[in-house]
Structure formats: C-alpha cells, structure tokens
Amino acid sequence: MLGRTDDISTAAGNWLAQFESALTTSDEIQLRSLFHSDSYWRDVLALSWNIQTINGADAILKELKARAISVSPGRFRIDPDRAAPRKVMRAGATAIEAIFKFDTAEGRGSGILRLTPDAGDVRMKAWTLLTALDELKGFEEQLGTSRPRGQSYSRDFRGPNWLDLRKAAAEYADRDPDVLVVGGGQAGLSIAARLKQLRIDTLVVDREARIGDNWRNRYHALTLHNQVQVNHLPYMPFPPNWPIYIPKDKLANWFEAYVESMELNYWTGNEFESGAYDETEGRWSVVLRRADGSPREMHPRHVVMATGVSGIPNLPDIPGLKKFAGTVLHSSQYGDGEAWKDKKALVIGTGNSGHDIAQDLHSSGARVTLVQRSSTLITNIEPSAQLAYAAYNEGTLEDNDLIATSMPLVLAKRSHVMLTEQSKKFDQELLEGLERVGFKLDYGEGGTGWQFKYLTRGGGYYFNVGCSDLVVKGQIGLIQFSDVHSLVAEGARMKNGETIAADLIVLATGYKGQEHLVRKLFGGEIADRVGPIWGFGDTQELRNMYTRTAQPGLWFIAGSLAQCRINSKYLALQIKAIKEGLLPNVALAAKPDAAFA
C-alpha cells in the first residue's frame, strides 16, 4: 500500500488539507480522527510561542483548540523546495515523512508530518507532527533579495566608508546594545549572527584575548569528535575541502573569519562581572571589566548567556589533594604533554577530556594512570559515535536540521537505545577488553547512549580515538577511585597500602552546571527564579534553553555546533517578537507536558 511516490505525496497532501479544514471549522471529530491515540506534536513557537511537546491525541486536540483561533494557521502545503514525501524508518517504525510549510497570522513556518497506518482504520494517521516558526511577517531576515543595500552608487567621498561605520558600530561609544551575548564560542556566534539578520543591535563579549581562543587554547591534540557535515555555523557552511574531523585551531580561525564576514560586534578581553534587572525600565544594568581593566556599565534589554553547557570548573574535595607535592591542573588548564616526558601522571576522570589528556601525555613520553571515578560509556569514534548523525550524510542541511528538530523526546530516546545496541555490537571486542582490565562500563540511563548523557549531564562518555586501546593493552594504567585511600605528597595511596607515584595530577572532573554561574553573576534571587538549566525536568524539553525563562530578558544557549545552529534561529525569533510587541518578555509558569515514557 502507498508504495508509489505519487501515492505517498497524495496521502500527505490529503492529510494536510483535512488538518487545515478541521482547524478552520473547529471540527473536533475530524481533527481527532487525523491522529493516532499514541501520537506526538512538537511545536516550536509557531502556534504556541513555546518550545513544547504534546503526547497523545486527546492532549494534542486540547492544545490545538486553545491555539488555533488566535494564531489562525493555514495554507498547509507540501514544500516543493524540500525533500519530497517519502517512506522512512524512524525510531524503528516505517512512516511516510513529508516536509510542509504553512502560514499563521504573524509568521511563516515549516513542519514535518509522519503518517503510519491505523490497525483499526484504512486511513493513514499522524504519528508525529512538527510545526516550527521560520520567520515573522514584516520582519524577515536580511538575506538574498532582502539583503541590505549598503552604501549607494552616489557616494560621499568625504564621509565615512564601510570600515569607518563598522568601527563606530562596534565601539558602542554613545549607545547600549539591545542584546548582550556573554560568550563568543559557537553558541554566542550563532545567536549574534541570527540577531544581526533580524536587525537587532547585538554585542558579543568574551573574556579570552582573541576570537576563537575558547577552542584555540584547549589541549594541543584536540579535534572535534563529530564530522564536519554536522557542524556548520548559520549562513556560512564550512568549505567543501575541510577535513572530516575539524582541528581546534582551524575551527578557532574560522570563528575569527566568521565574525568579520558576518559583521558581528565582538569585544575580546572583556569579563562579565555582574548583572541586575530593572523591572520598571525592562533593562539590565551589567558591569563589564574591559581589557584595560576599566569598568563599563551597559543597559541592554536582553542578556544571552552563551558560556557553554558547563560554567565553573568542578574541583572535587579529594582527601589529601592539598598534600600532593607535584602539580595539579584542572583539564581546562591543560595544554600539552611535552613538559611531562618521562614523568608520572594521574588523570582523574574518564570522560572525553580525561582520555584525550591521558593519551596526549602518553604520546609525549609520560607514564600515565587513569583514575576512574564512575562508570563511563565508551564508543569507538567510527562508526559507532557517528551513527547518530547518519542522516547528515545525505540530503540538505536545512532538511536534516528540521528532521532533528522534529523528533519528540520519547522517540529520540527510543532511537538512541537502538543506536546504542548497534554500537555495542560494533565495539564488542573493545568493550570486552576494557571489562577484562577492570574498566567499569555503562550505556546511559535506560541504554539511551552517549547523546542523552550529554543532554542530561554534559559528559560521562568517551569517543575512542585510541586511548581505550592503550588501556586494554596496559600501556596506560587504570585504577578505581574507590580503591584510593587518599592522595599523599608522592601520589595516590591505595587502600591496599601501595603508593602510585605521580608528578602531575590532572582533574578531568568536568564542570558545575550553569546555574552556579548564574548565581555568581546575577545573585541568588535570579538563580532561584530561573531554576535548573540543561537536562530534562518534568517536561520533554531542555530546561531553560533557547526559550524565555522566568527571569525577563535572560536567555541561555549552549550545546554542539549543530544544536546552536538550529536553536539560535528560534531564540532570535523570540527576541525579535518581544522587540516588536508580539510576545511578552517572560515565560508563563512552567507546566509539565503530557505524560511521557
């Protein structure tokens, strides 16, 4: 049934027509008949102005009724410029997948519909539905035919040229930005570029001395662990001759070129010291410490925290650490291993940073022992770690980003359980070898794998690029933290009385959550108002990410290059909508989504 392309397109087109008719006429019976009882609707701003997932036909019907009258969604049609409707396998199920577009009273959107047969009905019904806002009517991005004109053909030869105007704009000598972005990595650059296209005056501040230093200053051997086709920034894809795995310094240099090409206002060497919100004025008073040490007070309407998933280095209270006579570094302070040739090193922590640093030290001639604090997920970088990005090997980036956005949490978890089982088979020999030498393995909560470890805790896994093989071979030592009695001047005193000597201890112990940084910079009242950041609480969305928070004018963006590229679009649209009076500046009280597994 429905094997031909024209049949698939007809089925998807018919469903969209019936959906629009049911919304327009408020026909509850027809609307209910279009969804499976076990179905999912993810709305990204288009109908609700929220990022939310609704589960089940009854809950979906209730939410659609509440939103459709005021938003007036219509003109649902298959998008002829995107991938044609097709049969796909998603989360272990075969479905018809169709990319469509639509209008609302205030904007234009894109969506993805997935249809599957109903055992008790001959009709195809919606299994998943995505509705996502693309642009606001009258406030479209300055791209293509809408690009800014710049200086005209009739020039004032005595007036300022483009460079003069750029320098003046970036100085902020006589004005404040509408938006202050704190952090100039992929998160900060992505949201600044999006806001620029929406004509929102935006300044990025970063404490590093040079654009890209947040990557450039990491340990010497670092490259990205996912492949180049996944990692583009908005508007400017990487050149087609770039390597599959991007070296840190190459990415850092690209950040500099990106800031110049996208004309982003960016201040290096600036530390964000504090912020207080004026409820009456609807503005922040923030204090920056300039590169020359002088303070600068600014009054933006919005502050976007783009400092990463993690904020402050986590320095655990390890018994005896202060007695250690050698050098102690957090992983964020580690550069390279050349200075430690023929020395002994303990690396505490077995995530990506711990393994990479251990391997770097080993390759420099140090004698290294890994100290495992808790069970860790290990997966080979190829092919296992790349399975999650398989879709990006074909099709357009725009389509694949929309597909990634469309997956509700329940089905994303189901998909990653399947991917994790597949990777375990690929990696069986390595995993068995690690278990033989006493390495403690896990596969994430419920077997959901490395990506959900990242989404819930920001770490706890390692993409093997060789260090695990060295551990299996005994070329890098391994001990369990639970077997350590305490650290002493010479190194680690084990519970059996043995002392493992060390000249260097590297604490690859991760970072504290962003809420700790919020408390430090904005105070306890605002931190308590915002609550936890990142991970999943009672809802099916990341907490306080890419969306309005309980604190007016305070936003958060973090994650991989792909996450920042995708979600910066939606964060920028919300700030623009607030500026134009289309949206309140504060989130409504959070409510749990419909029950989910």
Side-chain angles (χ1 to χ4, degrees):
M1 183 176 70
L2 294 177
R4 298 199 314 269
T5 301
D6 54 348
D7 290 338
I8 290 172
S9 296
T10 298
N14 286 343
W15 190 95
L16 291 172
Q18 294 172 50
F19 180 62
E20 180 170 345
S21 172
L23 288 177
T24 303
T25 61
S26 301
D27 188 334
E28 294 186 24
I29 296 175
Q30 182 182 12
L31 194 59
R32 187 185 299 274
S33 72
L34 294 173
F35 290 88
H36 288 284
S37 58
D38 181 20
S39 52
Y40 308 87
W41 171 36
R42 189 162 195 243
D43 183 56
V44 183
L45 309 181
L47 274 67
S48 66
W49 277 121
N50 293 317
I51 300 176
Q52 64 180 25
T53 302
I54 309 296
N55 292 8
D58 290 341
I60 290 171
L61 179 63
K62 181 179 179 181
E63 185 72 3
L64 283 171
K65 284 174 58 182
R67 304 294 182 181
I69 294 176
S70 60
V71 177
S72 301
R75 298 191 67 223
F76 288 86
R77 69 271 193 204
I78 302 296
D79 191 336
D81 299 322
R82 310 291 283 266
R86 56 190 173 169
K87 278 192 173 182
V88 297
M89 179 72 74
R90 305 289 185 214
T94 300
I96 290 174
E97 182 175 87
I99 300 178
F100 62 90
K101 56 184 179 179
F102 61 98
D103 289 3
T104 68
E106 295 170 340
R108 302 177 186 90
S110 297
I112 291 185
L113 167 68
R114 295 190 183 94
L115 298 171
T116 57
D118 188 336
D121 197 326
V122 296
R123 290 177 296 181
M124 303 289 284
K125 295 186 177 182
W127 177 39
T128 74
L129 178 68
L130 167 74
T131 49
L133 183 65
D134 283 335
E135 60 185 6
L136 297 169
K137 292 178 179 177
F139 307 106
E140 292 81 4
E141 291 184 329
Q142 293 182 304
L143 300 171
T145 57
S146 300
R147 72 173 72 223
R149 184 173 179 84
Q151 291 178 311
S152 66
Y153 285 110
S154 60
R155 301 183 182 109
D156 180 358
F157 282 82
R158 292 188 175 275
N161 68 2
W162 171 86
L163 183 58
D164 297 328
L165 295 172
R166 280 292 304 129
K167 287 180 177 178
E171 284 176 357
Y172 287 93
D174 57 358
R175 75 189 199 286
D176 290 326
D178 289 329
V179 180
L180 182 69
V181 177
V182 183
Q186 62 262 21
L189 297 187
S190 295
I191 185 58
R194 298 287 192 186
L195 290 167
K196 171 82 175 183
Q197 304 315 306
L198 292 172
R199 300 171 291 282
I200 301 286
D201 190 359
T202 302
L203 171 64
V204 181
V205 295
D206 193 279
R207 65 186 177 187
E208 301 289 356
R210 180 181 171 191
I211 298 168
D213 273 355
N214 63 318
W215 283 98
R216 190 178 289 109
N217 292 339
R218 300 191 193 189
Y219 57 89
H220 186 70
L222 178 64
T223 63
L224 270 63
H225 288 110
N226 53 2
Q227 296 182 351
V228 65
Q229 67 270 20
V230 184
N231 287 319
H232 307 285
L233 289 171
Y235 311 113
M236 280 180 60
F238 299 128
N241 66 332
W242 271 40
I244 291 175
Y245 295 102
I246 305 173
K248 68 178 181 72
D249 298 285
K250 192 173 186 69
L251 183 64
N253 293 344
W254 182 261
F255 280 10
E256 283 187 311
Y258 189 83
V259 168
E260 176 66 21
S261 298
M262 298 301 298
E263 299 185 14
L264 306 183
N265 298 329
Y266 192 119
W267 286 3
T268 56
N270 276 254
E271 186 86 21
F272 184 97
E273 291 196 333
S274 64
Y277 191 72
D278 187 324
E279 298 279 353
T280 303
E281 294 293 327
R283 290 182 180 272
W284 290 93
S285 291
V286 303
V287 177
L288 306 177
R289 183 64 56 182
R290 301 299 308 274
D292 62 5
S294 64
R296 169 68 187 268
E297 186 171 346
M298 284 187 158
H299 302 280
R301 291 199 176 276
H302 303 273
V303 173
V304 179
M305 296 299 294
T307 52
V309 173
S310 310
I312 302 170
N314 181 41
L315 302 174
D317 185 15
I318 299 175
L321 181 61
K322 293 181 180 179
K323 298 178 181 178
F324 178 61
T327 300
V328 178
L329 299 174
H330 185 263
S331 58
S332 60
Q333 301 168 307
Y334 179 84
D336 64 65
E338 292 302 312
W340 301 100
K341 182 179 180 180
D342 298 325
K343 302 291 187 180
K344 301 181 182 70
L346 292 173
V347 178
I348 301 177
T350 49
N352 271 322
S353 294
H355 276 87
D356 282 351
I357 290 170
Q359 188 171 359
D360 187 66
L361 286 164
H362 172 80
S363 67
S364 299
R367 284 167 283 175
V368 187
T369 300
L370 270 174
V371 183
Q372 186 174 25
R373 301 172 71 212
S374 58
S375 61
T376 309
L377 188 151
I378 305 295
T379 184
N380 280 320
I381 194 166
E382 285 190 356
S384 297
Q386 308 308 317
L387 293 174
Y389 303 116
Y392 281 86
N393 295 325
E394 56 186 41
T396 68
L397 183 69
E398 185 181 35
D399 286 355
N400 287 324
D401 282 352
L402 197 65
I403 290 168
T405 304
S406 73
M407 292 304 291
L409 179 63
V410 172
L411 299 185
K413 284 185 172 182
R414 191 179 303 171
S415 294
H416 283 277
V417 169
M418 297 169 64
L419 294 177
T420 302
E421 288 302 310
Q422 188 177 355
S423 69
K424 285 163 66 176
K425 293 177 182 177
F426 286 146
D427 301 338
Q428 182 177 353
E429 182 179 352
L430 174 68
L431 299 176
E432 290 176 349
L434 286 168
E435 288 182 324
R436 280 197 302 271
V437 297
F439 194 94
K440 294 180 180 179
L441 296 168
D442 73 62
Y443 302 99
E445 183 179 357
T448 50
W450 69 264
Q451 192 152 58
F452 274 91
K453 278 205 160 196
Y454 176 66
L455 292 172
T456 53
R457 51 176 288 194
Y461 56 90
Y462 167 57
F463 295 158
N464 179 40
V465 294
C467 189
S468 290
D469 303 277
L470 296 172
V471 173
V472 170
K473 295 173 184 176
Q475 295 177 28
I476 289 178
L478 173 70
I479 60 175
Q480 294 297 323
F481 186 78
S482 58
D483 293 331
V484 176
H485 178 270
S486 66
L487 298 178
V488 294
E490 301 81 9
R493 179 72 50 78
M494 307 301 290
K495 290 179 179 177
N496 64 6
E498 177 188 2
T499 297
I500 298 178
D503 304 292
L504 168 70
I505 292 177
V506 180
L507 300 174
T509 48
Y511 297 81
K512 296 179 180 178
Q514 281 196 73
E515 50 265 34
H516 295 274
L517 185 60
V518 173
R519 190 169 298 275
K520 175 184 175 183
L521 297 178
F522 299 99
E525 183 178 344
I526 287 178
D528 291 341
R529 186 179 303 153
V530 171
I533 303 162
W534 199 254
F536 300 97
D538 294 331
T539 73
Q540 299 180 72
E541 307 294 341
L542 287 170
R543 293 175 295 192
N544 285 308
M545 294 302 300
Y546 323 123
T547 190
R548 290 173 293 168
T549 69
Q551 170 58 51
L554 185 59
W555 309 78
F556 298 89
I557 180 170
S560 66
L561 274 86
Q563 284 176 292
C564 293
R565 178 184 67 246
I566 293 169
N567 292 294
S568 58
K569 173 182 179 178
Y570 304 120
L571 197 163
L573 284 169
Q574 291 170 85
I575 291 177
K576 181 65 172 178
I578 290 168
K579 180 178 176 64
E580 302 303 334
L582 303 175
L583 185 65
N585 195 18
V586 64
L588 299 175
K591 63 176 182 178
D593 295 334
F596 66 98

